[in-house]
Amino acid sequence: MSDFTSAPVALSLNCGQGAKPRHPESPNVMGRYRVRVATGSFAFSGSTNQVQLWLVGQRAEAELGLQLRPTRGQMEDFEVDVSEDLGPLRFVKLRKIHLLLKDAWFCNHITVWVSEKSMEEAKEIVFPCYKWVQGDAIICLPEATAWMMGNDVQDLFQKHREEELEERRRLYRWATWKKGLPLSIDATSEKDLPLDVRFHENKKSDFEGTLIAGMMKIILKRIYTLLNSWNSLEDFDQIFWFSKSTLAKKVRQSWKDDDFFGYQFLNGVNPTLLRRSTSLPNRLVIPKEAEGLQVQLERKLQEGCLFEADFSLLDGIQPNVIQGKKQYLAAPLVMFKMEPDGKLLPMVIQLQPPCSSSPVPPLFLPSDPSLTWLLAKAWVKNSDFQLHELQAHLLKTHLMAEVFAVATMRCLSGMHPIFKLLIPHLRYTLEINTRARTKLISDGGIFDQVVNTGGGGHLEVLRRATACLTYRSLCPPDDLADRGLLGIPSALYVHDALRLWDIISRYVNGIVHLHYSGDKVVQSDLELQSWCSEITEIGLCGAQDRGFPVSFQSRADLCHFLTMCIFTCTVQHTGINQGQIDWYAWVPNAPCTMRQPPPTTKDVTLEMVMATLPNVQQACLQMTIAWHLGRFQPDMVPLGQHKEEYFSGSGPKAVLSHFLEELDTLEKEIVARNKNLDLPYEYLQPSRIENSITI
């Protein structure tokens, strides 16, 4: 917080009863106060309405009677003498008064310096707000010290907490968007959301402006190409322009290479599916004439370097129909081998699981004709596109973060230390998810227009993915161990994710141990226990059978869960979102839909390949959406660098400072490592990790 000796705007005062302008010789002065009101700096933060203030102490309160008009980006100071003994300050109360226009005001915080002698010896007390002040009601801002029900020995804040949570439960209601999925916020559009969780004007303008710019690109590309259909893979170059990243250009050059194909399962946009094989999959039916393949697979299995990516979750999903034309889906299995140099190479691809009513599906091999093998890999990447966007991205980051956000607003008061810890990591999440439900995965939305799981299949994929979502799968130390990916030097995502998990864990432990002296304090925290059960039993519709807790019995339990929450909302989302602009811009590398059935023989022609890949319109839209979702956000807040100060005191500030130091150290290590790599892995550099899910 800025020192009060900086140069804010000074005010002339109109003091009401109980307080008066400070005067050196004022009689009967019990307390001298300097008050600073800080207003947000983004568009429309200020207000033409007048604001009235009260100071509320443990023994009395004083109406300041001030009628300031808060100005965007300004800190406005005034000094008052109070004739009553207020006792230790607990609240600042404020009311916005309007004459003709009800003009919302975004208040950052109010800071009060208290002194019985001089301002030079004043004690600073911060009252965080960081929300919109609307209407004419009186609002109470408690001091920044984190309080829990157990240590509020005089119940000074109990009424405030109860009223705050009652109002929050009215504003933040659960809703079932689609049966079988986690619950969501009750909002049919972003306009139904509480103003405090809406995009600020700068974010809204950028988000909507880039959508319009993206649609203009599609029109320009259609005019530029004058193509109605593709004749060769090189035809995609005619739309591969504007906003290309360096890595996207590398994808264009190398997408056909087997080692590049394998690299993407380790360090690409979806590193969540690959696992080390512990046996040959039952679905992999190897014909007698391919005994050599069987021997190779078993040898690699024994050596511990056989890996697999299984897309069985897509088996039986009804494919989309786009503009009257049926699209097609596969449910592939890919077996990989890890070479001594760390390269992951595909050994065999099976595009569909065996079915008793159909012939045994063919196995595609690197030794097949080049177009045959290329088409088989394209089918795999199309399936990976589906599970990346629906399971890894939408479900395991966006929808999970929404459950955390709604439960947090409903169960944890603003004074609670866990609310203060989590709230910076929930910024904009409710609005971006609401927009996704109305534009991206809605009826007639982007998925219905261009993705082969659209038209309802995407909802069934989400239901299946939800049914098998486990707590362990959201915790990298558990998930990566379960998938057998620990200790692989070329697995850069694994390395960086584990380092970041440990850093976040130490940060969480620091905050938790400041406020919880032992396990019994955790067990007796009713707000905290309610939050936990609200997430598992309500938001996740009873997920305790999949390992999610319904209560916390120890500080260790709490820290692990909070680390998962913050990691999900920051590191994991960044790791699987940013890469869209790199890996999806060259459409043949990860096609959003397939227009012909998967091949059942190895007789593949160029005409078959081009007829299968997305058409011109679909490809243009894929590129545009990938750019819109994966681009750098102008108002991006890096991990841990939020400006809001919800905590007070030296303890939490020291914990946050150490957190930032550790992130800076990791940043330097990753930058140094990447200088020696042909293909740098940059997604989990702390400076690129966003502090919450905002896109």
Side-chain angles (χ1 to χ4, degrees):
M1 203 65 62
S2 301
D3 186 82
F4 73 86
T5 57
S6 60
V9 175
L11 300 176
S12 60
L13 303 184
N14 176 18
C15 294
Q17 185 177 3
K20 53 189 175 182
R22 183 188 168 198
H23 190 282
E25 299 178 359
S26 295
N28 302 319
V29 172
M30 297 297 293
R32 291 173 175 167
Y33 301 88
R34 184 167 190 167
V35 181
R36 171 173 295 169
V37 179
T39 297
S41 59
F42 47 86
F44 307 117
S45 299
S47 176
T48 58
N49 294 171
Q50 295 178 325
V51 176
Q52 189 173 12
L53 297 173
W54 292 260
L55 297 180
V56 181
Q58 190 166 325
R59 289 186 284 275
E61 69 176 67
E63 178 184 348
L64 304 187
L66 300 169
Q67 296 185 355
L68 61 93
R69 287 183 171 85
T71 304
R72 170 188 172 187
Q74 293 291 335
M75 293 186 295
E76 297 160 301
D77 275 23
F78 52 89
E79 294 183 10
V80 293
D81 290 340
V82 175
S83 58
E84 299 175 82
D85 178 13
L86 303 183
L89 287 187
R90 295 302 186 220
F91 294 95
V92 166
K93 295 198 303 189
L94 59 88
R95 178 170 60 189
K96 187 171 61 65
I97 304 169
H98 77 279
L99 297 176
L100 298 176
L101 178 66
K102 289 188 176 181
D103 190 10
W105 163 47
F106 193 89
C107 176
N108 278 351
H109 53 82
I110 294 175
T111 306
V112 180
W113 287 269
V114 186
S115 176
E116 296 181 358
K117 297 181 179 179
S118 67
M119 283 295 110
E120 287 72 20
E121 302 173 8
K123 174 187 176 184
E124 179 186 88
I125 306 173
V126 180
F127 300 83
C129 184
Y130 302 112
K131 60 185 177 182
W132 290 98
V133 178
Q134 308 174 75
D136 299 327
I138 293 177
I139 295 175
C140 291
L141 302 180
E143 58 151 321
T145 303
W147 289 83
M148 299 177 296
M149 293 179 67
N151 61 14
D152 186 10
V153 292
Q154 296 180 301
D155 292 332
L156 296 173
F157 303 108
Q158 186 61 29
K159 182 180 178 182
H160 170 76
R161 300 160 80 98
E162 291 173 353
E163 291 176 350
E164 180 185 28
L165 289 176
E166 182 181 358
E167 175 66 6
R168 293 243 213 93
R169 292 186 186 109
R170 184 185 68 81
L171 292 173
Y172 297 88
R173 301 176 303 277
W174 292 109
T176 301
W177 181 64
K178 298 292 181 181
K179 188 176 180 180
L181 304 186
L183 299 190
S184 61
I185 185 75
D186 185 9
T188 56
S189 78
E190 65 273 11
K191 296 177 182 178
D192 297 329
L193 294 170
L195 190 57
D196 290 333
V197 296
R198 293 288 311 276
F199 288 171
H200 292 161
E201 191 63 30
N202 300 357
K203 170 72 173 179
K204 177 183 174 183
S205 299
D206 173 74
F207 184 87
E208 295 177 350
T210 54
L211 272 179
I212 295 172
M215 295 304 106
M216 291 300 299
K217 290 179 193 175
I218 293 177
I219 295 172
L220 290 173
K221 287 179 178 181
R222 292 304 306 272
I223 294 173
Y224 176 77
T225 61
L226 297 176
L227 289 173
N228 292 318
S229 61
W230 309 115
N231 296 312
S232 69
L233 291 167
E234 287 69 30
D235 285 347
F236 281 95
D237 283 318
Q238 297 189 46
I239 64 168
F240 189 63
W241 51 270
F242 194 83
S243 301
K244 293 181 293 186
S245 69
T246 301
L247 181 51
K249 297 174 185 176
K250 175 71 173 176
V251 173
R252 165 66 184 92
Q253 297 168 359
S254 306
W255 72 285
K256 296 180 182 180
D257 299 341
D258 282 358
D259 60 341
F260 198 75
F261 175 81
Y263 175 90
Q264 295 180 59
F265 287 85
L266 281 173
N267 305 311
V269 74
N270 185 19
T272 68
L273 196 65
L274 185 73
R275 64 175 54 245
R276 192 187 301 264
S277 301
T278 56
S279 63
L280 293 185
N282 291 332
R283 64 171 280 183
L284 186 64
V285 180
I286 301 176
K288 292 182 179 180
E289 60 270 21
E291 290 180 356
L293 174 62
Q294 177 94 27
V295 171
Q296 292 179 47
L297 291 170
E298 290 179 348
R299 182 185 303 119
K300 294 300 177 183
L301 179 65
Q302 292 171 1
E303 294 172 356
C305 55
L306 186 67
F307 294 79
E308 62 191 70
D310 192 342
F311 298 86
S312 292
L313 198 70
L314 297 173
D315 187 28
I317 296 294
Q318 186 68 31
N320 199 2
V321 176
I322 300 176
Q323 296 182 342
K325 296 181 179 179
K326 183 180 179 180
Q327 309 296 293
Y328 296 87
L329 273 168
L333 168 70
V334 193
M335 304 302 298
F336 297 93
K337 61 180 177 180
M338 180 72 72
E339 297 286 80
D341 61 1
K343 291 182 179 178
L344 189 69
L345 300 178
M347 297 180 69
V348 58
I349 294 174
Q350 180 194 57
L351 292 182
Q352 299 284 24
C355 177
S356 58
S357 60
S358 303
V360 175
L363 301 180
F364 296 91
L365 306 170
S367 57
D368 290 339
S370 60
L371 282 177
T372 303
W373 182 235
L374 188 66
L375 183 58
K377 290 191 292 184
W379 271 103
V380 170
K381 290 311 303 297
N382 168 257
S383 299
D384 193 50
F385 181 101
Q386 315 306 317
L387 293 193
H388 165 250
E389 294 292 10
L390 296 170
Q391 183 180 38
H393 188 186
L394 180 57
L395 172 63
K396 295 176 76 173
T397 61
H398 280 264
L399 299 189
M400 287 302 303
E402 182 164 5
V403 170
F404 304 152
V406 176
T408 298
M409 301 308 290
R410 289 175 58 83
C411 299
L412 299 178
S413 64
M415 303 182 69
H416 199 283
I418 304 309
F419 179 90
K420 294 173 179 286
L421 173 67
L422 289 179
I423 195 64
H425 305 295
L426 304 175
R427 184 180 78 127
Y428 293 161
T429 298
L430 294 179
E431 174 151 354
I432 196 62
N433 282 11
T434 302
R435 286 177 178 265
R437 281 189 289 273
T438 58
K439 301 289 194 305
L440 188 65
I441 54 176
S442 58
D443 292 342
I446 298 298
F447 258 75
D448 283 4
Q449 294 176 41
V450 296
V451 181
N452 49 343
T453 52
H458 61 305
L459 299 177
E460 180 58 27
V461 174
L462 281 169
R463 290 188 187 99
R464 293 182 182 185
T466 300
C468 61
L469 176 67
T470 66
Y471 182 30
R472 289 181 66 86
S473 72
L474 299 176
C475 304
D478 301 325
D479 175 58
L480 296 170
D482 292 345
R483 294 196 283 131
L485 299 185
L486 301 179
I488 300 174
S490 57
L492 304 177
Y493 161 81
V494 172
H495 174 272
D496 295 352
L498 288 174
R499 285 291 308 278
L500 285 157
W501 173 275
D502 288 343
I503 291 171
I504 293 172
S505 178
R506 286 189 287 273
Y507 169 55
V508 167
N509 270 268
I511 295 295
V512 167
H513 282 244
L514 281 174
H515 296 94
Y516 293 87
S517 58
D519 295 345
K520 289 184 178 180
V521 184
V522 171
Q523 296 166 15
S524 63
D525 186 342
L526 299 183
E527 284 188 22
L528 182 69
Q529 300 297 343
S530 172
W531 176 72
C532 180
S533 62
E534 184 107 353
I535 289 173
T536 297
E537 297 187 294
I538 299 178
L540 296 179
C541 305
Q544 52 266 45
D545 60 336
R546 288 177 272 121
F548 289 89
V550 294
S551 65
F552 300 123
Q553 297 303 309
S554 67
R555 291 189 295 183
D557 291 345
L558 173 60
C559 289
H560 193 75
F561 192 84
L562 290 171
T563 301
M564 179 274 294
C565 292
I566 295 176
F567 184 92
T568 297
C569 297
T570 59
V571 178
Q572 188 65 9
H573 179 258
T574 298
I576 61 173
N577 177 73
Q578 282 190 6
Q580 294 177 100
I581 197 170
D582 300 321
W583 299 100
Y584 290 172
W586 178 249
V587 174
N589 181 65
C592 61
T593 191
M594 300 297 254
R595 297 181 293 136
Q596 295 295 321
T600 55
T601 72
K602 299 191 177 185
D603 297 324
V604 173
T605 65
L606 179 61
E607 290 73 22
M608 290 173 59
V609 173
M610 303 316 299
T612 300
L613 293 175
N615 63 28
V616 178
Q617 174 70 16
Q618 293 163 343
C620 288
L621 189 52
Q622 174 178 326
M623 290 185 67
T624 295
I625 297 302
W627 167 75
H628 180 63
L629 298 180
R631 71 190 176 90
F632 179 81
Q633 301 298 303
D635 67 341
M636 180 262 199
V637 177
L639 177 59
Q641 296 186 31
H642 45 277
K643 303 302 181 185
E644 301 87 352
E645 295 188 29
Y646 289 95
F647 287 102
S648 67
S650 59
K653 291 180 180 179
V655 172
L656 178 59
S657 177
H658 183 67
F659 178 49
L660 294 174
E661 288 173 5
E662 288 203 84
L663 291 175
D664 184 60
T665 298
L666 179 60
E667 174 90 14
K668 293 173 181 175
E669 291 176 7
I670 292 175
V671 169
R673 175 199 69 194
N674 285 342
K675 289 179 180 178
N676 299 317
L677 297 176
D678 294 333
L679 200 58
Y681 183 75
E682 301 174 331
Y683 300 132
L684 297 189
Q685 285 181 211
S687 62
R688 295 186 55 159
I689 298 171
E690 190 153 15
N691 208 40
S692 62
I693 298 175
T694 71
I695 189 65

